[in-house]
PDB file of all heavy atoms in Angstrom:
ATOM      1  N   VAL A   1      14.854  -5.293   5.424  1.00  0.00           N
ATOM      2  CA  VAL A   1      14.343  -6.665   5.653  1.00  0.00           C
ATOM      3  C   VAL A   1      15.394  -7.638   5.090  1.00  0.00           C
ATOM      4  O   VAL A   1      16.116  -7.309   4.184  1.00  0.00           O
ATOM      5  CB  VAL A   1      12.995  -6.857   4.958  1.00  0.00           C
ATOM      6  CG1 VAL A   1      11.971  -5.994   5.656  1.00  0.00           C
ATOM      7  CG2 VAL A   1      13.044  -6.646   3.468  1.00  0.00           C
ATOM      8  N   PRO A   2      15.311  -8.874   5.551  1.00  0.00           N
ATOM      9  CA  PRO A   2      16.251  -9.971   4.983  1.00  0.00           C
ATOM     10  C   PRO A   2      15.743 -10.382   3.603  1.00  0.00           C
ATOM     11  O   PRO A   2      14.627  -9.967   3.190  1.00  0.00           O
ATOM     12  CB  PRO A   2      16.169 -11.053   6.022  1.00  0.00           C
ATOM     13  CG  PRO A   2      14.829 -10.892   6.674  1.00  0.00           C
ATOM     14  CD  PRO A   2      14.549  -9.382   6.629  1.00  0.00           C
ATOM     15  N   GLU A   3      16.535 -11.222   2.946  1.00  0.00           N
ATOM     16  CA  GLU A   3      16.098 -11.755   1.700  1.00  0.00           C
ATOM     17  C   GLU A   3      14.824 -12.586   1.851  1.00  0.00           C
ATOM     18  O   GLU A   3      14.608 -13.273   2.920  1.00  0.00           O
ATOM     19  CB  GLU A   3      17.198 -12.745   1.187  1.00  0.00           C
ATOM     20  CG  GLU A   3      18.430 -12.047   0.638  1.00  0.00           C
ATOM     21  CD  GLU A   3      18.136 -11.309  -0.631  1.00  0.00           C
ATOM     22  OE1 GLU A   3      17.436 -11.794  -1.552  1.00  0.00           O
ATOM     23  OE2 GLU A   3      18.600 -10.146  -0.715  1.00  0.00           O
ATOM     24  N   PHE A   4      13.883 -12.516   0.876  1.00  0.00           N
ATOM     25  CA  PHE A   4      12.636 -13.220   0.967  1.00  0.00           C
ATOM     26  C   PHE A   4      12.238 -13.644  -0.415  1.00  0.00           C
ATOM     27  O   PHE A   4      12.747 -13.100  -1.433  1.00  0.00           O
ATOM     28  CB  PHE A   4      11.578 -12.342   1.535  1.00  0.00           C
ATOM     29  CG  PHE A   4      11.271 -11.062   0.793  1.00  0.00           C
ATOM     30  CD1 PHE A   4      10.248 -11.007  -0.136  1.00  0.00           C
ATOM     31  CD2 PHE A   4      12.043  -9.895   1.032  1.00  0.00           C
ATOM     32  CE1 PHE A   4      10.006  -9.838  -0.900  1.00  0.00           C
ATOM     33  CE2 PHE A   4      11.801  -8.728   0.308  1.00  0.00           C
ATOM     34  CZ  PHE A   4      10.780  -8.710  -0.661  1.00  0.00           C
ATOM     35  N   ASP A   5      11.252 -14.589  -0.524  1.00  0.00           N
ATOM     36  CA  ASP A   5      10.728 -15.115  -1.778  1.00  0.00           C
ATOM     37  C   ASP A   5       9.389 -14.558  -2.075  1.00  0.00           C
ATOM     38  O   ASP A   5       9.002 -14.311  -3.180  1.00  0.00           O
ATOM     39  CB  ASP A   5      10.750 -16.609  -1.750  1.00  0.00           C
ATOM     40  CG  ASP A   5      12.105 -17.188  -1.549  1.00  0.00           C
ATOM     41  OD1 ASP A   5      13.044 -16.896  -2.338  1.00  0.00           O
ATOM     42  OD2 ASP A   5      12.258 -18.019  -0.688  1.00  0.00           O
ATOM     43  N   TYR A   6       8.533 -14.393  -0.970  1.00  0.00           N
ATOM     44  CA  TYR A   6       7.127 -13.916  -1.094  1.00  0.00           C
ATOM     45  C   TYR A   6       6.869 -12.940  -0.006  1.00  0.00           C
ATOM     46  O   TYR A   6       7.435 -13.018   1.112  1.00  0.00           O
ATOM     47  CB  TYR A   6       6.207 -15.142  -0.952  1.00  0.00           C
ATOM     48  CG  TYR A   6       6.180 -16.069  -2.157  1.00  0.00           C
ATOM     49  CD1 TYR A   6       7.029 -17.153  -2.133  1.00  0.00           C
ATOM     50  CD2 TYR A   6       5.397 -15.802  -3.261  1.00  0.00           C
ATOM     51  CE1 TYR A   6       7.043 -18.005  -3.222  1.00  0.00           C
ATOM     52  CE2 TYR A   6       5.449 -16.669  -4.313  1.00  0.00           C
ATOM     53  CZ  TYR A   6       6.257 -17.755  -4.367  1.00  0.00           C
ATOM     54  OH  TYR A   6       6.190 -18.635  -5.429  1.00  0.00           O
ATOM     55  N   ILE A   7       5.904 -12.130  -0.319  1.00  0.00           N
ATOM     56  CA  ILE A   7       5.321 -11.188   0.721  1.00  0.00           C
ATOM     57  C   ILE A   7       3.907 -11.572   0.978  1.00  0.00           C
ATOM     58  O   ILE A   7       3.166 -11.953   0.038  1.00  0.00           O
ATOM     59  CB  ILE A   7       5.230  -9.713   0.117  1.00  0.00           C
ATOM     60  CG1 ILE A   7       6.630  -9.153  -0.051  1.00  0.00           C
ATOM     61  CG2 ILE A   7       4.455  -8.825   1.054  1.00  0.00           C
ATOM     62  CD1 ILE A   7       6.759  -7.870  -0.870  1.00  0.00           C
ATOM     63  N   VAL A   8       3.542 -11.642   2.263  1.00  0.00           N
ATOM     64  CA  VAL A   8       2.106 -11.941   2.624  1.00  0.00           C
ATOM     65  C   VAL A   8       1.640 -10.836   3.499  1.00  0.00           C
ATOM     66  O   VAL A   8       2.385 -10.249   4.386  1.00  0.00           O
ATOM     67  CB  VAL A   8       1.958 -13.219   3.425  1.00  0.00           C
ATOM     68  CG1 VAL A   8       0.543 -13.473   3.930  1.00  0.00           C
ATOM     69  CG2 VAL A   8       2.372 -14.429   2.488  1.00  0.00           C
ATOM     70  N   THR A   9       0.418 -10.301   3.217  1.00  0.00           N
ATOM     71  CA  THR A   9      -0.124  -9.200   3.924  1.00  0.00           C
ATOM     72  C   THR A   9      -1.603  -9.462   4.282  1.00  0.00           C
ATOM     73  O   THR A   9      -2.253 -10.213   3.484  1.00  0.00           O
ATOM     74  CB  THR A   9      -0.037  -7.867   3.164  1.00  0.00           C
ATOM     75  OG1 THR A   9      -0.326  -6.725   3.993  1.00  0.00           O
ATOM     76  CG2 THR A   9      -0.869  -7.819   1.932  1.00  0.00           C
ATOM     77  N   PRO A  10      -2.123  -9.016   5.319  1.00  0.00           N
ATOM     78  CA  PRO A  10      -3.558  -9.166   5.580  1.00  0.00           C
ATOM     79  C   PRO A  10      -4.361  -8.222   4.681  1.00  0.00           C
ATOM     80  O   PRO A  10      -3.800  -7.226   4.170  1.00  0.00           O
ATOM     81  CB  PRO A  10      -3.754  -8.774   7.054  1.00  0.00           C
ATOM     82  CG  PRO A  10      -2.630  -7.832   7.325  1.00  0.00           C
ATOM     83  CD  PRO A  10      -1.503  -8.262   6.436  1.00  0.00           C
ATOM     84  N   GLU A  11      -5.589  -8.628   4.418  1.00  0.00           N
ATOM     85  CA  GLU A  11      -6.497  -7.782   3.587  1.00  0.00           C
ATOM     86  C   GLU A  11      -6.905  -6.586   4.445  1.00  0.00           C
ATOM     87  O   GLU A  11      -7.886  -6.568   5.243  1.00  0.00           O
ATOM     88  CB  GLU A  11      -7.757  -8.579   3.209  1.00  0.00           C
ATOM     89  CG  GLU A  11      -8.655  -7.820   2.304  1.00  0.00           C
ATOM     90  CD  GLU A  11      -9.871  -8.749   1.805  1.00  0.00           C
ATOM     91  OE1 GLU A  11     -10.271  -9.609   2.555  1.00  0.00           O
ATOM     92  OE2 GLU A  11     -10.296  -8.456   0.656  1.00  0.00           O
ATOM     93  N   ALA A  12      -6.038  -5.534   4.312  1.00  0.00           N
ATOM     94  CA  ALA A  12      -6.169  -4.358   5.111  1.00  0.00           C
ATOM     95  C   ALA A  12      -5.428  -3.154   4.502  1.00  0.00           C
ATOM     96  O   ALA A  12      -5.066  -3.250   3.311  1.00  0.00           O
ATOM     97  CB  ALA A  12      -5.637  -4.633   6.576  1.00  0.00           C
ATOM     98  N   LYS A  13      -5.183  -2.113   5.245  1.00  0.00           N
ATOM     99  CA  LYS A  13      -4.554  -0.935   4.757  1.00  0.00           C
ATOM    100  C   LYS A  13      -3.116  -1.177   4.308  1.00  0.00           C
ATOM    101  O   LYS A  13      -2.507  -0.278   3.647  1.00  0.00           O
ATOM    102  CB  LYS A  13      -4.561   0.182   5.748  1.00  0.00           C
ATOM    103  CG  LYS A  13      -5.972   0.653   6.137  1.00  0.00           C
ATOM    104  CD  LYS A  13      -5.977   1.819   7.108  1.00  0.00           C
ATOM    105  CE  LYS A  13      -5.185   1.665   8.322  1.00  0.00           C
ATOM    106  NZ  LYS A  13      -5.786   0.880   9.462  1.00  0.00           N
ATOM    107  N   SER A  14      -2.565  -2.263   4.566  1.00  0.00           N
ATOM    108  CA  SER A  14      -1.244  -2.655   4.129  1.00  0.00           C
ATOM    109  C   SER A  14      -1.097  -3.116   2.680  1.00  0.00           C
ATOM    110  O   SER A  14       0.023  -3.229   2.141  1.00  0.00           O
ATOM    111  CB  SER A  14      -0.656  -3.686   5.059  1.00  0.00           C
ATOM    112  OG  SER A  14      -1.494  -4.874   5.088  1.00  0.00           O
ATOM    113  N   ILE A  15      -2.186  -3.328   1.983  1.00  0.00           N
ATOM    114  CA  ILE A  15      -2.128  -3.801   0.608  1.00  0.00           C
ATOM    115  C   ILE A  15      -1.286  -2.877  -0.309  1.00  0.00           C
ATOM    116  O   ILE A  15      -0.517  -3.412  -1.075  1.00  0.00           O
ATOM    117  CB  ILE A  15      -3.496  -4.121   0.081  1.00  0.00           C
ATOM    118  CG1 ILE A  15      -4.132  -5.322   0.833  1.00  0.00           C
ATOM    119  CG2 ILE A  15      -3.518  -4.441  -1.433  1.00  0.00           C
ATOM    120  CD1 ILE A  15      -5.580  -5.653   0.461  1.00  0.00           C
ATOM    121  N   PRO A  16      -1.559  -1.578  -0.303  1.00  0.00           N
ATOM    122  CA  PRO A  16      -0.698  -0.782  -1.221  1.00  0.00           C
ATOM    123  C   PRO A  16       0.766  -0.917  -0.910  1.00  0.00           C
ATOM    124  O   PRO A  16       1.576  -0.862  -1.849  1.00  0.00           O
ATOM    125  CB  PRO A  16      -1.239   0.660  -0.938  1.00  0.00           C
ATOM    126  CG  PRO A  16      -2.593   0.462  -0.377  1.00  0.00           C
ATOM    127  CD  PRO A  16      -2.564  -0.807   0.420  1.00  0.00           C
ATOM    128  N   LEU A  17       1.147  -1.049   0.309  1.00  0.00           N
ATOM    129  CA  LEU A  17       2.517  -1.109   0.756  1.00  0.00           C
ATOM    130  C   LEU A  17       3.082  -2.465   0.213  1.00  0.00           C
ATOM    131  O   LEU A  17       4.197  -2.516  -0.335  1.00  0.00           O
ATOM    132  CB  LEU A  17       2.676  -1.107   2.260  1.00  0.00           C
ATOM    133  CG  LEU A  17       4.023  -1.246   2.843  1.00  0.00           C
ATOM    134  CD1 LEU A  17       4.942  -0.130   2.354  1.00  0.00           C
ATOM    135  CD2 LEU A  17       3.984  -1.287   4.369  1.00  0.00           C
ATOM    136  N   ALA A  18       2.339  -3.564   0.407  1.00  0.00           N
ATOM    137  CA  ALA A  18       2.796  -4.887  -0.079  1.00  0.00           C
ATOM    138  C   ALA A  18       2.967  -4.853  -1.669  1.00  0.00           C
ATOM    139  O   ALA A  18       3.905  -5.397  -2.187  1.00  0.00           O
ATOM    140  CB  ALA A  18       1.812  -5.925   0.295  1.00  0.00           C
ATOM    141  N   TYR A  19       1.996  -4.170  -2.328  1.00  0.00           N
ATOM    142  CA  TYR A  19       2.114  -4.087  -3.741  1.00  0.00           C
ATOM    143  C   TYR A  19       3.382  -3.325  -4.116  1.00  0.00           C
ATOM    144  O   TYR A  19       4.086  -3.778  -5.033  1.00  0.00           O
ATOM    145  CB  TYR A  19       0.871  -3.252  -4.282  1.00  0.00           C
ATOM    146  CG  TYR A  19       1.085  -2.831  -5.749  1.00  0.00           C
ATOM    147  CD1 TYR A  19       0.846  -3.762  -6.774  1.00  0.00           C
ATOM    148  CD2 TYR A  19       1.617  -1.525  -6.039  1.00  0.00           C
ATOM    149  CE1 TYR A  19       1.131  -3.302  -8.110  1.00  0.00           C
ATOM    150  CE2 TYR A  19       1.902  -1.162  -7.318  1.00  0.00           C
ATOM    151  CZ  TYR A  19       1.674  -2.055  -8.364  1.00  0.00           C
ATOM    152  OH  TYR A  19       1.874  -1.692  -9.647  1.00  0.00           O
ATOM    153  N   GLU A  20       3.677  -2.224  -3.482  1.00  0.00           N
ATOM    154  CA  GLU A  20       4.785  -1.398  -3.862  1.00  0.00           C
ATOM    155  C   GLU A  20       6.102  -2.145  -3.545  1.00  0.00           C
ATOM    156  O   GLU A  20       7.023  -2.150  -4.277  1.00  0.00           O
ATOM    157  CB  GLU A  20       4.794  -0.043  -3.152  1.00  0.00           C
ATOM    158  CG  GLU A  20       5.902   0.870  -3.539  1.00  0.00           C
ATOM    159  CD  GLU A  20       5.935   1.290  -5.069  1.00  0.00           C
ATOM    160  OE1 GLU A  20       5.069   0.998  -5.754  1.00  0.00           O
ATOM    161  OE2 GLU A  20       7.050   1.756  -5.487  1.00  0.00           O
ATOM    162  N   MET A  21       6.116  -2.836  -2.427  1.00  0.00           N
ATOM    163  CA  MET A  21       7.316  -3.644  -2.063  1.00  0.00           C
ATOM    164  C   MET A  21       7.460  -4.739  -3.092  1.00  0.00           C
ATOM    165  O   MET A  21       8.673  -5.122  -3.465  1.00  0.00           O
ATOM    166  CB  MET A  21       7.207  -4.217  -0.641  1.00  0.00           C
ATOM    167  CG  MET A  21       7.322  -3.079   0.395  1.00  0.00           C
ATOM    168  SD  MET A  21       7.097  -3.664   2.104  1.00  0.00           S
ATOM    169  CE  MET A  21       8.631  -4.553   2.347  1.00  0.00           C
ATOM    170  N   SER A  22       6.394  -5.341  -3.573  1.00  0.00           N
ATOM    171  CA  SER A  22       6.403  -6.435  -4.557  1.00  0.00           C
ATOM    172  C   SER A  22       6.969  -5.810  -5.875  1.00  0.00           C
ATOM    173  O   SER A  22       7.850  -6.414  -6.569  1.00  0.00           O
ATOM    174  CB  SER A  22       5.042  -6.948  -4.755  1.00  0.00           C
ATOM    175  OG  SER A  22       5.007  -7.889  -5.847  1.00  0.00           O
ATOM    176  N   ARG A  23       6.466  -4.679  -6.268  1.00  0.00           N
ATOM    177  CA  ARG A  23       6.881  -3.997  -7.538  1.00  0.00           C
ATOM    178  C   ARG A  23       8.353  -3.668  -7.517  1.00  0.00           C
ATOM    179  O   ARG A  23       9.126  -4.028  -8.454  1.00  0.00           O
ATOM    180  CB  ARG A  23       6.057  -2.712  -7.757  1.00  0.00           C
ATOM    181  CG  ARG A  23       6.248  -2.065  -9.149  1.00  0.00           C
ATOM    182  CD  ARG A  23       5.612  -0.744  -9.227  1.00  0.00           C
ATOM    183  NE  ARG A  23       6.188   0.254  -8.469  1.00  0.00           N
ATOM    184  CZ  ARG A  23       7.336   0.876  -8.743  1.00  0.00           C
ATOM    185  NH1 ARG A  23       7.941   0.551  -9.911  1.00  0.00           N
ATOM    186  NH2 ARG A  23       7.903   1.835  -8.005  1.00  0.00           N
ATOM    187  N   LEU A  24       8.833  -3.163  -6.403  1.00  0.00           N
ATOM    188  CA  LEU A  24      10.295  -2.819  -6.257  1.00  0.00           C
ATOM    189  C   LEU A  24      11.181  -3.998  -6.216  1.00  0.00           C
ATOM    190  O   LEU A  24      12.281  -4.000  -6.741  1.00  0.00           O
ATOM    191  CB  LEU A  24      10.471  -1.904  -5.023  1.00  0.00           C
ATOM    192  CG  LEU A  24       9.912  -0.484  -5.095  1.00  0.00           C
ATOM    193  CD1 LEU A  24      10.003   0.219  -3.803  1.00  0.00           C
ATOM    194  CD2 LEU A  24      10.480   0.361  -6.292  1.00  0.00           C
ATOM    195  N   SER A  25      10.731  -5.082  -5.538  1.00  0.00           N
ATOM    196  CA  SER A  25      11.588  -6.258  -5.330  1.00  0.00           C
ATOM    197  C   SER A  25      11.444  -7.267  -6.494  1.00  0.00           C
ATOM    198  O   SER A  25      12.283  -8.172  -6.549  1.00  0.00           O
ATOM    199  CB  SER A  25      11.256  -6.872  -4.008  1.00  0.00           C
ATOM    200  OG  SER A  25       9.954  -7.418  -3.994  1.00  0.00           O
ATOM    201  N   GLY A  26      10.321  -7.247  -7.201  1.00  0.00           N
ATOM    202  CA  GLY A  26      10.082  -8.209  -8.179  1.00  0.00           C
ATOM    203  C   GLY A  26       9.574  -9.510  -7.610  1.00  0.00           C
ATOM    204  O   GLY A  26       9.500 -10.560  -8.291  1.00  0.00           O
ATOM    205  N   LYS A  27       9.209  -9.489  -6.286  1.00  0.00           N
ATOM    206  CA  LYS A  27       8.689 -10.703  -5.645  1.00  0.00           C
ATOM    207  C   LYS A  27       7.163 -10.589  -5.488  1.00  0.00           C
ATOM    208  O   LYS A  27       6.594  -9.561  -5.235  1.00  0.00           O
ATOM    209  CB  LYS A  27       9.320 -10.862  -4.246  1.00  0.00           C
ATOM    210  CG  LYS A  27      10.843 -10.888  -4.252  1.00  0.00           C
ATOM    211  CD  LYS A  27      11.399 -12.051  -4.906  1.00  0.00           C
ATOM    212  CE  LYS A  27      12.919 -12.000  -5.046  1.00  0.00           C
ATOM    213  NZ  LYS A  27      13.619 -12.527  -3.930  1.00  0.00           N
ATOM    214  N   LYS A  28       6.469 -11.740  -5.644  1.00  0.00           N
ATOM    215  CA  LYS A  28       4.990 -11.854  -5.604  1.00  0.00           C
ATOM    216  C   LYS A  28       4.509 -11.491  -4.206  1.00  0.00           C
ATOM    217  O   LYS A  28       5.110 -11.885  -3.248  1.00  0.00           O
ATOM    218  CB  LYS A  28       4.581 -13.231  -6.011  1.00  0.00           C
ATOM    219  CG  LYS A  28       3.051 -13.454  -5.997  1.00  0.00           C
ATOM    220  CD  LYS A  28       2.721 -14.894  -6.393  1.00  0.00           C
ATOM    221  CE  LYS A  28       1.341 -15.178  -6.224  1.00  0.00           C
ATOM    222  NZ  LYS A  28       0.383 -14.626  -7.157  1.00  0.00           N
ATOM    223  N   TYR A  29       3.395 -10.783  -4.195  1.00  0.00           N
ATOM    224  CA  TYR A  29       2.710 -10.634  -2.879  1.00  0.00           C
ATOM    225  C   TYR A  29       1.326 -11.336  -2.912  1.00  0.00           C
ATOM    226  O   TYR A  29       0.691 -11.502  -3.914  1.00  0.00           O
ATOM    227  CB  TYR A  29       2.505  -9.161  -2.551  1.00  0.00           C
ATOM    228  CG  TYR A  29       1.396  -8.410  -3.194  1.00  0.00           C
ATOM    229  CD1 TYR A  29       0.175  -8.192  -2.602  1.00  0.00           C
ATOM    230  CD2 TYR A  29       1.561  -7.898  -4.485  1.00  0.00           C
ATOM    231  CE1 TYR A  29      -0.836  -7.490  -3.175  1.00  0.00           C
ATOM    232  CE2 TYR A  29       0.545  -7.191  -5.076  1.00  0.00           C
ATOM    233  CZ  TYR A  29      -0.640  -6.948  -4.418  1.00  0.00           C
ATOM    234  OH  TYR A  29      -1.708  -6.287  -5.036  1.00  0.00           O
ATOM    235  N   ILE A  30       0.975 -11.845  -1.723  1.00  0.00           N
ATOM    236  CA  ILE A  30      -0.239 -12.652  -1.478  1.00  0.00           C
ATOM    237  C   ILE A  30      -1.009 -11.962  -0.413  1.00  0.00           C
ATOM    238  O   ILE A  30      -0.417 -11.571   0.679  1.00  0.00           O
ATOM    239  CB  ILE A  30       0.140 -14.080  -1.121  1.00  0.00           C
ATOM    240  CG1 ILE A  30       0.856 -14.764  -2.334  1.00  0.00           C
ATOM    241  CG2 ILE A  30      -1.103 -14.895  -0.727  1.00  0.00           C
ATOM    242  CD1 ILE A  30       1.468 -16.141  -2.045  1.00  0.00           C
ATOM    243  N   VAL A  31      -2.325 -11.905  -0.565  1.00  0.00           N
ATOM    244  CA  VAL A  31      -3.225 -11.273   0.414  1.00  0.00           C
ATOM    245  C   VAL A  31      -3.971 -12.334   1.199  1.00  0.00           C
ATOM    246  O   VAL A  31      -4.647 -13.143   0.552  1.00  0.00           O
ATOM    247  CB  VAL A  31      -4.184 -10.267  -0.222  1.00  0.00           C
ATOM    248  CG1 VAL A  31      -5.126  -9.688   0.824  1.00  0.00           C
ATOM    249  CG2 VAL A  31      -3.452  -9.197  -0.989  1.00  0.00           C
ATOM    250  N   ALA A  32      -3.842 -12.334   2.513  1.00  0.00           N
ATOM    251  CA  ALA A  32      -4.669 -13.232   3.362  1.00  0.00           C
ATOM    252  C   ALA A  32      -5.994 -12.535   3.499  1.00  0.00           C
ATOM    253  O   ALA A  32      -6.083 -11.365   3.993  1.00  0.00           O
ATOM    254  CB  ALA A  32      -4.059 -13.433   4.725  1.00  0.00           C
ATOM    255  N   ARG A  33      -7.067 -13.130   2.979  1.00  0.00           N
ATOM    256  CA  ARG A  33      -8.361 -12.500   2.842  1.00  0.00           C
ATOM    257  C   ARG A  33      -9.221 -12.527   4.133  1.00  0.00           C
ATOM    258  O   ARG A  33      -8.947 -13.434   4.948  1.00  0.00           O
ATOM    259  CB  ARG A  33      -9.151 -13.191   1.737  1.00  0.00           C
ATOM    260  CG  ARG A  33      -8.433 -13.184   0.350  1.00  0.00           C
ATOM    261  CD  ARG A  33      -8.156 -11.843  -0.228  1.00  0.00           C
ATOM    262  NE  ARG A  33      -9.298 -11.026  -0.436  1.00  0.00           N
ATOM    263  CZ  ARG A  33      -9.918 -10.940  -1.591  1.00  0.00           C
ATOM    264  NH1 ARG A  33      -9.442 -11.569  -2.667  1.00  0.00           N
ATOM    265  NH2 ARG A  33     -11.017 -10.192  -1.693  1.00  0.00           N
ATOM    266  N   LYS A  34     -10.130 -11.651   4.281  1.00  0.00           N
ATOM    267  CA  LYS A  34     -11.054 -11.575   5.395  1.00  0.00           C
ATOM    268  C   LYS A  34     -12.304 -12.413   5.230  1.00  0.00           C
ATOM    269  O   LYS A  34     -13.093 -12.553   6.114  1.00  0.00           O
ATOM    270  CB  LYS A  34     -11.412 -10.143   5.715  1.00  0.00           C
ATOM    271  CG  LYS A  34     -10.241  -9.307   6.277  1.00  0.00           C
ATOM    272  CD  LYS A  34     -10.701  -7.903   6.618  1.00  0.00           C
ATOM    273  CE  LYS A  34      -9.574  -7.108   7.196  1.00  0.00           C
ATOM    274  NZ  LYS A  34      -9.991  -5.772   7.440  1.00  0.00           N
TER     275      LYS A  34
END
């Protein structure tokens, strides 16, 4: 992926992935809620 400041993911099965990408990159993740 290109450089980014924030991760956004839907409230779904992608949350663990967004968390791990956030942890590895040091960038905040935000969940769009249902």
Side-chain angles (χ1 to χ4, degrees):
V1 298
E3 287 292 316
F4 62 92
D5 301 307
Y6 289 94
I7 294 169
V8 175
T9 192
E11 186 175 31
K13 296 185 306 283
S14 55
I15 292 174
L17 180 63
Y19 165 83
E20 184 61 15
M21 291 176 73
S22 173
R23 189 186 71 77
L24 291 172
S25 67
K27 305 293 174 88
K28 178 181 174 75
Y29 77 99
I30 295 170
V31 177
R33 305 299 299 263
K34 290 183 179 177

